[in-house]
């Protein structure tokens, strides 16, 4: 049983803005209502699945919440309390809280998936008849921001999509297609939860079921690419050249014990294999030359606007404009396909069997239509090359000693590390059948500069202390 909706929505309106995954922190909540409410467990504790319709600045977004109800809330759940149901003089009749943090209740998700159940508007699906274990205890991953992921033992990871997107979520759509195609570089999809068609209109649906959660294999032996790259950079920065070495020792990033280049090359190969699997699953189309020309003009317009907002980019504007003009001048039809869309070192895991790619949702700031739109695979390559530039300079930025111009010892080493690993990644990508970056230098350069402009704008708005990272890398690349 839930409290009256006015009391519940009042508590939720106060609680939501404090959550890391809430996307509307930049403005007040104008209205909040409950789109659907489905009881998944009666008794104490009880579990209700809610979809919240949240209106801000004339736009309504839709959020998913597992709402727990307990008469007595244990200390371990106090940090996720939302409110209470009215009671007597001794306190509330029951406590309301975010049940994604309650392993006593999240196990119900596995029960329903194993049974392929339907509960109200909720549908619990499995992939290819996968058997789901129901004896596992969940633990939320605290690092998540836009979603909430639950680890079930060392077997499964369940991603709960907090802010719901239209129709089938891209992460499910892509991973399920790659799983069915036998791609070895993605975690196997085991099941998912969805809102039945028709109810999806409450979550911006278009007649398709709305994806609520995705259950996949958990790669418990995996280490994320970002952490491995940073460890390599740290080792390289700490490396002391042998007595008698000349100035070139500062440029030989292979001399440090934690060289990452072999892994970068293997990652390039895995990326090409996933791109090939995506082409097989979703097909390849052609972008006309006129649209390539339009794309180059849009890139240049973004440069102009960013230079006005961030004057520090202006010294590089001539070189960046030249790259976009080169793309426009050489515009020709391009093969395009589904790609990752938000590709960087934080989106890959190195496991015992090789590299695995994660999170095919695309860039969060883009619309669902934009994220689903086909692109040239080198756009992903450009994203990873930019990630190498960031990894090379992360420790410098963290220490607050990023030089305004190239020339310092650490920046010299950062550039050497990035250059070595960029080349290794591109070598692996081409050798595995991907479009050879060296043979498409104009296109790749334009994609990379487009991404760098986005980085400059983002850092200026959100992390000004990090602005020298993309600007310093541009000082090397825009020459």
């Amino acid at each position: 049983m839930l409290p009256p909706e006015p009391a519940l929505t009042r508590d939720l309106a106060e609680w939501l803005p404090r959550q890391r995954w809430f996307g509307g922190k930049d403005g007040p909540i104008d209205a909040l209502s409950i789109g659907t409410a489905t009881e998944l467990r009666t008794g104490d504790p009880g579990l209700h699945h809610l979809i919240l319709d949240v209106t801000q600045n004339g736009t309504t977004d839709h959020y998913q919440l597992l709402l727990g109800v307990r008469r007595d809330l244990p200390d371990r759940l106090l940090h996720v309390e939302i409110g209470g149901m009215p009671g007597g003089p001794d306190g509330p009749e029951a406590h309301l809280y975010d049940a994604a943090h309650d392993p006593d209740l999240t196990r119900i998700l596995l029960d329903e998936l194993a049974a392929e159940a339907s509960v109200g508007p909720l549908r619990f699906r499995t992939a290819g008849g996968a058997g789901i274990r129901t004896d596992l205890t969940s633990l939320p991953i605290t690092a998540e921001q836009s979603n909430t992921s639950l680890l079930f033992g060392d077997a499964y990871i369940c991603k709960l999509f907090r802010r719901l997107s239209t129709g089938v979520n891209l992460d499910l759509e892509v991973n399920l297609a790659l799983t069915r195609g036998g791609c070895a570089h993605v975690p196997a999809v085991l099941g998912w939860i969805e809102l039945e068609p028709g109810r999806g209109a409450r979550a911006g649906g278009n007649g398709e079921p709305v994806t609520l959660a995705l259950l996949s294999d958990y790669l418990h032996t995996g280490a994320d690419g970002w952490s491995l790259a940073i460890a390599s950079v740290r080792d390289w920065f700490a490396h002391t050249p042998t007595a008698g070495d000349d100035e070139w020792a500062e440029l030989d990033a292979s001399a440090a014990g934690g060289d990452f280049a072999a892994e970068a090359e293997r990652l390039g190969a895995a990326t090409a294999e996933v791109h090939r699997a995506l082409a097989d699953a979703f097909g390849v189309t052609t972008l006309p030359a006129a649209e390539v020309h339009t794309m180059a003009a849009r890139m240049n317009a973004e440069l102009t606007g960013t230079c006005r907002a961030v004057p520090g980019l202006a010294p590089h504007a001539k070189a960046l404009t030249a790259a976009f003009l080169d793309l426009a001048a050489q515009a020709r039809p391009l093969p395009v396909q589904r790609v990752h869309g938000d590709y960087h070192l934080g989106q890959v895991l190195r496991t015992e069997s090789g590299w695995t790619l994660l999170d095919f949702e695309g860039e969060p700031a883009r619309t669902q239509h934009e994220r689903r739109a086909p692109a040239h695979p080198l756009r992903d390559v450009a994203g990873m090359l930019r990630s190498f530039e960031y990894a090379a300079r992360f420790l410098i930025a963290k220490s607050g000693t990023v030089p305004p111009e190239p020339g310092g010892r650490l920046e010299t080493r950062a550039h050497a590390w990035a250059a070595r690993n960029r080349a290794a990644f591109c070598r692996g990508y081409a050798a595995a059948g991907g479009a050879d970056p060296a043979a498409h230098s104009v296109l790749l350069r334009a994609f990379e500069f487009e991404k760098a402009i986005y980085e400059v704008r983002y850092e200026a708005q959100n992390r000004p202390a990090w602005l020298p990272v993309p600007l310093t890398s541009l000082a090397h690349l825009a020459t």
Side-chain angles (χ1 to χ4, degrees), residues 329-353:
Q330 300 182 30
R332 62 181 184 276
L334 285 180
V336 292
Q337 61 169 79
R338 292 290 286 273
V339 298
H340 185 283
D342 187 25
Y343 200 43
H344 55 77
L345 285 163
Q347 303 281 41
V348 294
L349 286 180
R350 181 63 166 91
T351 71
E352 294 173 342
S353 60

mmCIF file of all heavy atoms in Angstrom, residues 329-353:
data_model
loop_
_atom_site.group_PDB
_atom_site.id
_atom_site.type_symbol
_atom_site.label_atom_id
_atom_site.label_comp_id
_atom_site.label_asym_id
_atom_site.label_seq_id
_atom_site.Cartn_x
_atom_site.Cartn_y
_atom_site.Cartn_z
ATOM 1 N N ALA A 329 36.126 19.967 -49.215
ATOM 2 C CA ALA A 329 36.673 19.965 -50.574
ATOM 3 C C ALA A 329 36.775 18.551 -51.135
ATOM 4 O O ALA A 329 36.667 18.343 -52.350
ATOM 5 C CB ALA A 329 38.051 20.633 -50.582
ATOM 6 N N GLN A 330 37.007 17.580 -50.245
ATOM 7 C CA GLN A 330 37.158 16.197 -50.689
ATOM 8 C C GLN A 330 35.896 15.369 -50.428
ATOM 9 O O GLN A 330 35.962 14.136 -50.426
ATOM 10 C CB GLN A 330 38.354 15.557 -49.978
ATOM 11 C CG GLN A 330 39.671 16.256 -50.248
ATOM 12 C CD GLN A 330 40.843 15.573 -49.566
ATOM 13 O OE1 GLN A 330 40.842 14.358 -49.369
ATOM 14 N NE2 GLN A 330 41.857 16.348 -49.201
ATOM 15 N N ALA A 331 34.789 16.052 -50.197
ATOM 16 C CA ALA A 331 33.551 15.345 -49.861
ATOM 17 C C ALA A 331 33.182 14.341 -50.948
ATOM 18 O O ALA A 331 33.153 14.667 -52.134
ATOM 19 C CB ALA A 331 32.419 16.350 -49.666
ATOM 20 N N ARG A 332 32.955 13.138 -50.514
ATOM 21 C CA ARG A 332 32.508 12.068 -51.408
ATOM 22 C C ARG A 332 31.579 11.161 -50.620
ATOM 23 O O ARG A 332 31.555 11.214 -49.393
ATOM 24 C CB ARG A 332 33.707 11.284 -51.936
ATOM 25 C CG ARG A 332 34.531 10.587 -50.869
ATOM 26 C CD ARG A 332 35.714 9.844 -51.491
ATOM 27 N NE ARG A 332 36.455 9.095 -50.507
ATOM 28 C CZ ARG A 332 37.410 9.586 -49.735
ATOM 29 N NH1 ARG A 332 37.725 10.880 -49.835
ATOM 30 N NH2 ARG A 332 38.048 8.820 -48.866
ATOM 31 N N PRO A 333 30.796 10.351 -51.288
ATOM 32 C CA PRO A 333 29.887 9.462 -50.547
ATOM 33 C C PRO A 333 30.652 8.601 -49.539
ATOM 34 O O PRO A 333 31.736 8.089 -49.829
ATOM 35 C CB PRO A 333 29.254 8.607 -51.646
ATOM 36 C CG PRO A 333 29.360 9.450 -52.875
ATOM 37 C CD PRO A 333 30.647 10.198 -52.748
ATOM 38 N N LEU A 334 30.067 8.470 -48.332
ATOM 39 C CA LEU A 334 30.706 7.710 -47.269
ATOM 40 C C LEU A 334 29.827 6.546 -46.830
ATOM 41 O O LEU A 334 28.625 6.718 -46.656
ATOM 42 C CB LEU A 334 30.950 8.596 -46.040
ATOM 43 C CG LEU A 334 32.082 9.621 -46.075
ATOM 44 C CD1 LEU A 334 32.117 10.378 -44.738
ATOM 45 C CD2 LEU A 334 33.422 8.943 -46.323
ATOM 46 N N PRO A 335 30.406 5.378 -46.623
ATOM 47 C CA PRO A 335 29.628 4.286 -46.023
ATOM 48 C C PRO A 335 29.404 4.591 -44.547
ATOM 49 O O PRO A 335 30.338 4.975 -43.833
ATOM 50 C CB PRO A 335 30.540 3.069 -46.208
ATOM 51 C CG PRO A 335 31.928 3.626 -46.273
ATOM 52 C CD PRO A 335 31.794 4.982 -46.926
ATOM 53 N N VAL A 336 28.172 4.448 -44.097
ATOM 54 C CA VAL A 336 27.845 4.713 -42.689
ATOM 55 C C VAL A 336 27.064 3.536 -42.129
ATOM 56 O O VAL A 336 26.393 2.806 -42.859
ATOM 57 C CB VAL A 336 27.057 6.031 -42.524
ATOM 58 C CG1 VAL A 336 27.915 7.244 -42.847
ATOM 59 C CG2 VAL A 336 25.805 6.026 -43.387
ATOM 60 N N GLN A 337 27.147 3.373 -40.805
ATOM 61 C CA GLN A 337 26.529 2.234 -40.141
ATOM 62 C C GLN A 337 26.309 2.575 -38.683
ATOM 63 O O GLN A 337 26.667 3.663 -38.229
ATOM 64 C CB GLN A 337 27.459 1.021 -40.250
ATOM 65 C CG GLN A 337 28.809 1.265 -39.569
ATOM 66 C CD GLN A 337 29.650 0.012 -39.438
ATOM 67 O OE1 GLN A 337 30.280 -0.416 -40.401
ATOM 68 N NE2 GLN A 337 29.645 -0.567 -38.245
ATOM 69 N N ARG A 338 25.742 1.654 -37.943
ATOM 70 C CA ARG A 338 25.633 1.828 -36.495
ATOM 71 C C ARG A 338 27.035 1.748 -35.893
ATOM 72 O O ARG A 338 27.841 0.892 -36.277
ATOM 73 C CB ARG A 338 24.733 0.762 -35.881
ATOM 74 C CG ARG A 338 23.291 0.893 -36.282
ATOM 75 C CD ARG A 338 22.615 2.112 -35.652
ATOM 76 N NE ARG A 338 22.353 1.894 -34.255
ATOM 77 C CZ ARG A 338 21.250 1.306 -33.793
ATOM 78 N NH1 ARG A 338 20.330 0.858 -34.622
ATOM 79 N NH2 ARG A 338 21.070 1.167 -32.500
ATOM 80 N N VAL A 339 27.315 2.636 -34.947
ATOM 81 C CA VAL A 339 28.600 2.659 -34.265
ATOM 82 C C VAL A 339 28.345 2.736 -32.766
ATOM 83 O O VAL A 339 27.205 2.777 -32.307
ATOM 84 C CB VAL A 339 29.476 3.836 -34.746
ATOM 85 C CG1 VAL A 339 29.803 3.711 -36.232
ATOM 86 C CG2 VAL A 339 28.800 5.178 -34.463
ATOM 87 N N HIS A 340 29.417 2.793 -31.991
ATOM 88 C CA HIS A 340 29.258 2.901 -30.543
ATOM 89 C C HIS A 340 28.664 4.251 -30.180
ATOM 90 O O HIS A 340 27.685 4.350 -29.436
ATOM 91 C CB HIS A 340 30.612 2.698 -29.851
ATOM 92 C CG HIS A 340 30.535 2.662 -28.366
ATOM 93 N ND1 HIS A 340 30.396 3.804 -27.593
ATOM 94 C CD2 HIS A 340 30.568 1.632 -27.481
ATOM 95 C CE1 HIS A 340 30.344 3.467 -26.314
ATOM 96 N NE2 HIS A 340 30.449 2.159 -26.217
ATOM 97 N N GLY A 341 29.290 5.330 -30.650
ATOM 98 C CA GLY A 341 28.731 6.662 -30.477
ATOM 99 C C GLY A 341 29.262 7.459 -29.309
ATOM 100 O O GLY A 341 29.135 8.680 -29.282
ATOM 101 N N ASP A 342 29.867 6.787 -28.323
ATOM 102 C CA ASP A 342 30.438 7.500 -27.177
ATOM 103 C C ASP A 342 31.666 6.724 -26.717
ATOM 104 O O ASP A 342 31.781 6.309 -25.570
ATOM 105 C CB ASP A 342 29.407 7.610 -26.051
ATOM 106 C CG ASP A 342 29.877 8.494 -24.897
ATOM 107 O OD1 ASP A 342 30.735 9.377 -25.124
ATOM 108 O OD2 ASP A 342 29.399 8.301 -23.759
ATOM 109 N N TYR A 343 32.605 6.543 -27.624
ATOM 110 C CA TYR A 343 33.673 5.569 -27.446
ATOM 111 C C TYR A 343 34.894 6.192 -26.784
ATOM 112 O O TYR A 343 35.449 7.172 -27.281
ATOM 113 C CB TYR A 343 34.048 4.994 -28.805
ATOM 114 C CG TYR A 343 34.772 3.675 -28.746
ATOM 115 C CD1 TYR A 343 34.367 2.656 -27.888
ATOM 116 C CD2 TYR A 343 35.858 3.425 -29.576
ATOM 117 C CE1 TYR A 343 35.028 1.440 -27.853
ATOM 118 C CE2 TYR A 343 36.519 2.214 -29.551
ATOM 119 C CZ TYR A 343 36.104 1.226 -28.680
ATOM 120 O OH TYR A 343 36.758 0.024 -28.638
ATOM 121 N N HIS A 344 35.303 5.609 -25.674
ATOM 122 C CA HIS A 344 36.509 6.063 -24.972
ATOM 123 C C HIS A 344 36.999 4.942 -24.062
ATOM 124 O O HIS A 344 36.374 3.874 -23.966
ATOM 125 C CB HIS A 344 36.231 7.347 -24.190
ATOM 126 C CG HIS A 344 35.080 7.264 -23.233
ATOM 127 N ND1 HIS A 344 35.152 6.636 -22.015
ATOM 128 C CD2 HIS A 344 33.803 7.731 -23.340
ATOM 129 C CE1 HIS A 344 33.981 6.718 -21.398
ATOM 130 N NE2 HIS A 344 33.134 7.374 -22.170
ATOM 131 N N LEU A 345 38.110 5.176 -23.390
ATOM 132 C CA LEU A 345 38.752 4.133 -22.599
ATOM 133 C C LEU A 345 37.900 3.665 -21.422
ATOM 134 O O LEU A 345 38.075 2.544 -20.931
ATOM 135 C CB LEU A 345 40.116 4.611 -22.098
ATOM 136 C CG LEU A 345 41.218 4.654 -23.162
ATOM 137 C CD1 LEU A 345 42.386 5.513 -22.698
ATOM 138 C CD2 LEU A 345 41.697 3.253 -23.510
ATOM 139 N N GLY A 346 36.981 4.507 -20.970
ATOM 140 C CA GLY A 346 36.097 4.106 -19.886
ATOM 141 C C GLY A 346 34.981 3.181 -20.327
ATOM 142 O O GLY A 346 34.246 2.646 -19.491
ATOM 143 N N GLN A 347 34.860 2.960 -21.641
ATOM 144 C CA GLN A 347 33.789 2.115 -22.178
ATOM 145 C C GLN A 347 34.289 0.736 -22.588
ATOM 146 O O GLN A 347 33.566 -0.001 -23.274
ATOM 147 C CB GLN A 347 33.161 2.801 -23.407
ATOM 148 C CG GLN A 347 32.617 4.193 -23.146
ATOM 149 C CD GLN A 347 31.267 4.183 -22.483
ATOM 150 O OE1 GLN A 347 31.030 3.374 -21.593
ATOM 151 N NE2 GLN A 347 30.382 5.049 -22.904
ATOM 152 N N VAL A 348 35.508 0.379 -22.182
ATOM 153 C CA VAL A 348 36.056 -0.919 -22.570
ATOM 154 C C VAL A 348 36.637 -1.613 -21.346
ATOM 155 O O VAL A 348 37.138 -0.964 -20.420
ATOM 156 C CB VAL A 348 37.130 -0.779 -23.670
ATOM 157 C CG1 VAL A 348 36.507 -0.262 -24.960
ATOM 158 C CG2 VAL A 348 38.260 0.149 -23.238
ATOM 159 N N LEU A 349 36.572 -2.942 -21.346
ATOM 160 C CA LEU A 349 37.133 -3.766 -20.282
ATOM 161 C C LEU A 349 38.130 -4.758 -20.876
ATOM 162 O O LEU A 349 37.853 -5.375 -21.914
ATOM 163 C CB LEU A 349 36.044 -4.569 -19.562
ATOM 164 C CG LEU A 349 35.094 -3.868 -18.598
ATOM 165 C CD1 LEU A 349 34.125 -4.894 -18.031
ATOM 166 C CD2 LEU A 349 35.855 -3.187 -17.478
ATOM 167 N N ARG A 350 39.266 -4.906 -20.184
ATOM 168 C CA ARG A 350 40.226 -5.951 -20.573
ATOM 169 C C ARG A 350 39.972 -7.151 -19.681
ATOM 170 O O ARG A 350 40.114 -7.087 -18.464
ATOM 171 C CB ARG A 350 41.660 -5.445 -20.390
ATOM 172 C CG ARG A 350 42.728 -6.467 -20.804
ATOM 173 C CD ARG A 350 42.604 -6.775 -22.285
ATOM 174 N NE ARG A 350 43.754 -7.480 -22.809
ATOM 175 C CZ ARG A 350 43.887 -8.814 -22.873
ATOM 176 N NH1 ARG A 350 42.906 -9.580 -22.385
ATOM 177 N NH2 ARG A 350 44.952 -9.363 -23.399
ATOM 178 N N THR A 351 39.546 -8.235 -20.264
ATOM 179 C CA THR A 351 39.254 -9.456 -19.520
ATOM 180 C C THR A 351 40.291 -10.522 -19.858
ATOM 181 O O THR A 351 41.194 -10.299 -20.672
ATOM 182 C CB THR A 351 37.853 -9.990 -19.859
ATOM 183 O OG1 THR A 351 37.861 -10.508 -21.191
ATOM 184 C CG2 THR A 351 36.808 -8.884 -19.744
ATOM 185 N N GLU A 352 40.130 -11.683 -19.257
ATOM 186 C CA GLU A 352 41.061 -12.773 -19.528
ATOM 187 C C GLU A 352 41.033 -13.192 -20.992
ATOM 188 O O GLU A 352 42.025 -13.694 -21.526
ATOM 189 C CB GLU A 352 40.714 -13.974 -18.645
ATOM 190 C CG GLU A 352 40.919 -13.720 -17.156
ATOM 191 C CD GLU A 352 40.411 -14.864 -16.305
ATOM 192 O OE1 GLU A 352 39.605 -15.667 -16.827
ATOM 193 O OE2 GLU A 352 40.826 -14.959 -15.138
ATOM 194 N N SER A 353 39.913 -12.991 -21.653
ATOM 195 C CA SER A 353 39.775 -13.423 -23.041
ATOM 196 C C SER A 353 39.979 -12.310 -24.059
ATOM 197 O O SER A 353 39.908 -12.549 -25.256
ATOM 198 C CB SER A 353 38.396 -14.052 -23.251
ATOM 199 O OG SER A 353 37.370 -13.118 -22.958
#
